[in-house]
């Protein structure tokens, strides 16, 4: 089933830079396909929209300024890459301080993106654009984690009493803390994805098989390769597959861990009703790597996967609703599309779900309960209308146009 959506030249170049193995020099291949015909300002815009400027700068650093119609774009990319490299070093220190603070309070915490991701995959610091820190922390520990990080200058973005809601993780999968001094955000994730998305794994799976990783002399908890792959698939696919960054992350994990246990991956994803999510993500990454490799005449950009993974990808291509999802992602990538609204997210979850009836039930539970705004506006005490009544009133006012 053909789901091919052609990418324009700037998107092809950026995808090549995102998907290329770290050791591959793309300069010669890029010359062959016509770097002189590229709209460099457009390339810079695409790289910026997809938060992959350091990767693009790395791949283009061997091009001479004279080879580019507009060398200023390359200068801007290089400047952004240098700035990100410095920020990555600062974030690595911040992450260690945060994890030390949580460990002192005996709060289990597992990072899975950011500086630790770069280090675990053997990349040079600063190749991955980073704006915040993402850490898994159980919902039951969020209050304690908030208190533990107060001495480091972090404050909750919402009133702490919002955590008193017994089903907080159904409302949102993360709790945000902001550092007063510079606005750095920590996202404490109590779920892998929103409760209504068919995520292919959960925190129980990650904690049960967690490994350790040494970063700057500190020993940190870290997901096993299989769970790391599932987490990053969920992270990209929960947002309707928008963006190139997560696609590159999946390719990097697969290249770094060629002996990954696919039986375990399939079993965990199927148990959570998220095997279709894995199927679509694999098909997308494998196909894009193959297409870019063929376009550039660079076989090293192709992604070799074992038969089990290839079979999962083939199932996505041959199933109408999953092939349609592949086409949707391609279209969104080419259009640099922003995240769609809630209803589009719900439809996306239903399209991917192994168990649509369960996903419908989860969506209805979410819609029938309070939203994050209801928890934020709720009084600290028990006065006034009950939370459920306030939530229902707000939804009615929103639908009626009385509230925006």
């Amino acid at each position: 089933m053909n789901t091919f959506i052609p990418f324009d030249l700037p998107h092809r170049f950026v995808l090549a830079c995102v998907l290329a193995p770290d050791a591959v020099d793309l300069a010669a291949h890029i010359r062959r396909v016509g770097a002189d015909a590229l709209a460099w300002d457009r390339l810079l815009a695409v790289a910026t929209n997809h938060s992959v400027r350091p990767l693009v700068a790395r791949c283009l650093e061997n091009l001479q300024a004279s080879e580019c119609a507009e060398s200023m774009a390359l200068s801007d990319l290089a400047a952004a890459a240098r700035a990100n490299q410095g920020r990555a070093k600062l974030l690595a220190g911040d992450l260690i301080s945060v994890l030390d603070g949580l460990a002192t309070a005996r709060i289990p915490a597992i990072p899975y993106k950011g500086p630790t991701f770069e280090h675990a995959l053997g990349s040079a610091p600063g190749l991955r654009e980073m704006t915040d820190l993402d850490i898994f922390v159980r919902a039951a520990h969020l209050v304690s984690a908030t208190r533990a990080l107060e001495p480091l200058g972090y404050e909750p973005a919402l009133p702490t009493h919002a955590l008193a809601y017994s089903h907080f993780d159904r409302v949102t999968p993360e709790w945000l803390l902001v550092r007063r001094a510079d606005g750095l955000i920590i996202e404490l994730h109590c779920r892998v994805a929103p409760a209504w998305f068919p995520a292919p794994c959960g925190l129980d799976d990650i904690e049960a098989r967690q490994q350790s990783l040494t970063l700057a002399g500190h020993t940190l908890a870290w997901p096993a390769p299989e769970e790391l792959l599932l987490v990053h698939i969920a992270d990209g696919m929960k947002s309707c597959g928008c963006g190139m960054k997560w696609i590159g992350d999946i390719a990097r994990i697969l290249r770094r861990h060629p002996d990954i246990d696919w039986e375990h991956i399939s079993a965990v994803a199927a148990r959570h009703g998220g095997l279709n999510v894995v199927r679509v993500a694999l098909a997308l990454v494998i196909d894009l790597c193959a297409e870019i490799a063929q376009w550039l005449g660079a076989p090293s950009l192709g992604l070799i996967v074992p038969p089990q993974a290839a079979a999962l990808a083939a199932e996505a291509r041959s199933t109408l609703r999953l092939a349609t999802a592949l086409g949707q992602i391609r279209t969104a990538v080419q259009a640099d599309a922003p995240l769609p609204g809630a209803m589009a997210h719900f439809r996306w979850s239903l399209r991917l779900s192994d168990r649509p009836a369960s996903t419908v039930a989860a969506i209805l539970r979410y819609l029938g309960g309070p939203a994050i705004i209801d928890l934020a506006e709720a009084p600290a005490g028990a006065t006034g209308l009950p939370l459920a009544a306030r939530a229902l009133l707000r939804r009615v006012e929103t639908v009626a146009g009385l509230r925006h």
Side-chain angles (χ1 to χ4, degrees), residues 143-159:
V143 173
S144 300
T146 301
R147 292 172 181 160
L149 297 179
E150 284 177 355
L152 298 179
Y154 293 97
E155 296 179 345
L158 297 176

Side-chain angles (χ1 to χ4, degrees), residues 367-371 373-375 385-398 403:
L367 292 175
I373 189 174
D374 301 308
L375 300 184
L385 288 174
L387 179 59
R390 288 196 304 273
L392 177 60
L393 179 61
R394 181 192 57 78
R395 293 186 191 278
V396 170
E397 290 176 342
T398 300
R403 179 171 178 158

Side-chain angles (χ1 to χ4, degrees), residues 91-93 95-96 99 111 115-117 119-120 213-220:
L91 285 176
L95 176 63
I96 289 171
L99 293 175
T116 326
F117 183 84
H119 179 68
L213 182 72
T214 301
L215 177 65
H218 292 251
T219 300
L220 315 177

